[in-house]
Amino acid sequence: MSTENTEKQWRILVVDDEPNNLQLLRQLLKNQYHISLATSGHQALEVAEKVKPDLILLDIMMPGIDGYETCTQFKSNPETAAIPVIFVSAKSEVLDERRGFDVGAVDYITKPVSGPIVHARIATHLALYDQQRTFETLLLQRTKELAESQKAAIHMLGEAGHYNDEDTGVHIWRMAAYAEAIARKAGWHVKKARQLQFAAPMHDTGKIGIPDAILKKPGKLTPEEWVIMRKHTEIGYGILVKSDTPLFKMAADISLYHHEKWDGSGYPQGLSGERIPESARIVALADVFDALTMERPYKKAWSVEEAFAEIERCRGQHFDPVLTDHFLEIKDEILAIKDTWDTAEAKMRESGQTFLTV
């Protein structure tokens, strides 16, 4: 196959609200690449879902959502997260280039564009993109056994924290799915959101160090018993922090801080606002919502409407107000996740399973 034919298979999405800029780039590139055009961030997100481009040229200053927000949304979507994004911007906008790299862009091209520069930058990043895909395929193959081992450790630690609970353990996996959905809505890169999904089930690992008499007590805990119960956050942190991998570092933070509250009234350190790691703030939301909708020996399950109302009521007190808004905005997705896991739990009970694997 010739180089020219290979190049024509590459798909490039060009996004700019100025028709002249779109046509200029289209004329520059049409002989070598398959070109798709979009005139806004919202349209770009829709087009990218359909055509699956190999590279995106993205304007910054656009009406509606700007290039930074558009890029953030690309990177939080599993379908588009890996696509390289090059910002095409006026010289004055390049002063904010750090922000562009922070949201996931790989390069900048300044306006007015130079044909040779555009072609060179595109060729470079398409080559890197191709190499990255090849490398990731090999990496996935070679690390499958390690990944399975790590996954097994996550299961064991997650289940260990709930070993003495009266439920079947579905809670931690359903809650983790909620957390991953909230993180994606908050703009997290899909890979980081997936990491959160695996870290979240370990949030109560420290409960393995709490006496059964307290964990299984059917009534309210005394003040002295609460002092002991609250130590599960620090016990879990002490276990999980011994690993220096990003996954277990995140899990350690979540274990330590998932009972902190936005207004500073939580524990163990009484942190408030953004001093609480965002991962723990997300898990706090997911954990409380799932706990409310679960039936336990000492309480009936709340309806989903009651649970959503309670989350909204605690906005800005227990929960990060922005994350609360994100959670409420994806209500349909949360309900779909709940339905999926509730079905899985019902099948578990029918088959007599004690623990669930994912």
Side-chain angles (χ1 to χ4, degrees):
M1 183 178 292
S2 70
T3 303
E4 181 179 359
N5 287 336
T6 302
E7 288 177 342
K8 286 186 178 179
Q9 293 183 355
W10 292 111
R11 299 176 301 277
I12 296 179
L13 171 59
V14 182
V15 188
D16 199 305
D17 64 316
E18 290 290 338
N20 290 339
N21 292 336
L22 285 178
Q23 292 309 315
L24 173 60
L25 287 168
R26 182 175 179 276
Q27 289 299 319
L28 282 173
L29 303 173
K30 67 178 183 178
N31 291 332
Q32 288 181 272
Y33 306 104
H34 182 277
I35 306 300
S36 298
L37 305 177
T39 57
S40 70
H42 288 297
Q43 187 181 34
L45 296 170
E46 294 175 0
V47 173
E49 287 275 4
K50 295 177 182 177
V51 305
K52 300 296 188 296
D54 299 297
L55 184 140
I56 300 169
L57 297 178
L58 181 59
D59 185 27
I60 294 178
M61 300 302 294
M62 296 184 293
I65 58 173
D66 64 14
Y68 297 122
E69 175 59 26
T70 304
C71 187
T72 297
Q73 293 195 35
F74 279 135
K75 297 303 174 182
S76 63
N77 182 341
E79 298 296 321
T80 56
I83 301 171
V85 175
I86 299 176
F87 278 127
V88 182
S89 61
K91 288 184 178 180
S92 60
E93 294 160 0
V94 178
L95 294 175
D96 205 12
E97 63 182 16
R98 179 177 178 179
R99 183 180 176 191
F101 292 127
D102 286 344
V103 298
V106 297
D107 208 344
Y108 273 86
I109 297 174
T110 58
K111 298 176 182 176
V113 298
S114 161
I117 290 177
V118 171
H119 279 286
R121 299 284 178 83
I122 289 175
T124 295
H125 288 292
L126 285 176
L128 291 171
Y129 179 48
D130 194 38
Q131 291 172 9
Q132 179 182 344
R133 288 190 296 187
T134 302
F135 174 75
E136 287 178 350
T137 300
L138 292 172
L139 188 63
L140 285 173
Q141 294 172 348
R142 295 175 182 177
T143 60
K144 184 177 180 181
E145 183 177 344
L146 177 61
E148 289 302 317
S149 297
Q150 189 177 60
K151 196 173 181 180
I154 293 166
H155 280 247
M156 288 186 288
L157 288 167
E159 298 287 5
H162 287 261
Y163 184 77
N164 285 319
D165 282 357
E166 297 299 324
D167 64 78
T168 59
V170 172
H171 158 65
I172 57 176
W173 309 113
R174 184 172 49 219
M175 177 276 293
Y178 294 153
E180 189 265 349
I182 298 167
R184 284 190 287 103
K185 179 63 178 176
W188 283 34
H189 191 290
V190 63
K191 290 182 180 178
K192 187 179 178 184
R194 182 66 171 168
Q195 184 181 87
L196 177 65
Q197 186 175 17
F198 283 109
M202 295 182 274
H203 69 295
D204 275 341
T205 296
K207 284 185 176 179
I208 62 177
I210 303 301
D212 288 0
I214 293 177
L215 284 175
K216 292 186 174 183
K217 186 175 180 179
K220 292 183 178 181
L221 299 181
T222 66
E224 293 76 19
E225 289 169 334
W226 263 116
V227 171
I228 297 172
M229 173 63 87
R230 289 178 177 180
K231 289 185 180 297
H232 81 275
T233 57
E234 296 166 297
I235 294 170
Y237 178 82
I239 294 170
L240 297 168
V241 79
K242 289 180 171 62
S243 170
D244 61 358
T245 66
L247 172 64
F248 283 94
K249 284 182 177 179
M250 179 184 286
D253 279 347
I254 291 170
S255 176
L256 185 61
Y257 299 117
H258 71 282
H259 283 295
E260 300 286 4
K261 296 182 180 181
W262 183 258
D263 64 4
S265 63
Y267 67 88
Q269 297 179 11
L271 300 183
S272 63
E274 294 184 358
R275 293 180 63 201
I276 308 166
E278 189 174 28
S279 58
R281 284 180 267 146
I282 291 173
V283 169
L285 259 173
D287 190 31
V288 170
F289 176 79
D290 197 58
L292 290 173
T293 57
M294 286 175 59
E295 183 175 350
R296 301 303 296 268
Y298 51 85
K299 78 172 187 70
K300 292 183 178 180
W302 291 31
S303 71
V304 291
E305 292 303 330
E306 289 173 328
F308 275 111
E310 177 66 9
I311 295 295
E312 186 170 13
R313 186 186 71 80
C314 295
R315 178 187 185 277
Q317 300 171 30
H318 189 157
F319 307 119
D320 179 329
V322 174
L323 291 176
T324 301
D325 291 343
H326 290 323
F327 175 76
L328 297 173
E329 288 165 7
I330 58 169
K331 179 178 179 179
D332 289 345
E333 184 177 358
I334 295 297
L335 293 177
I337 291 170
K338 185 178 189 306
D339 182 64
T340 297
W341 284 98
D342 286 353
T343 300
E345 183 174 22
K347 290 180 179 178
M348 275 182 59
R349 294 185 187 280
E350 290 175 6
S351 64
Q353 283 180 256
T354 306
F355 295 108
L356 181 70
T357 58
V358 294

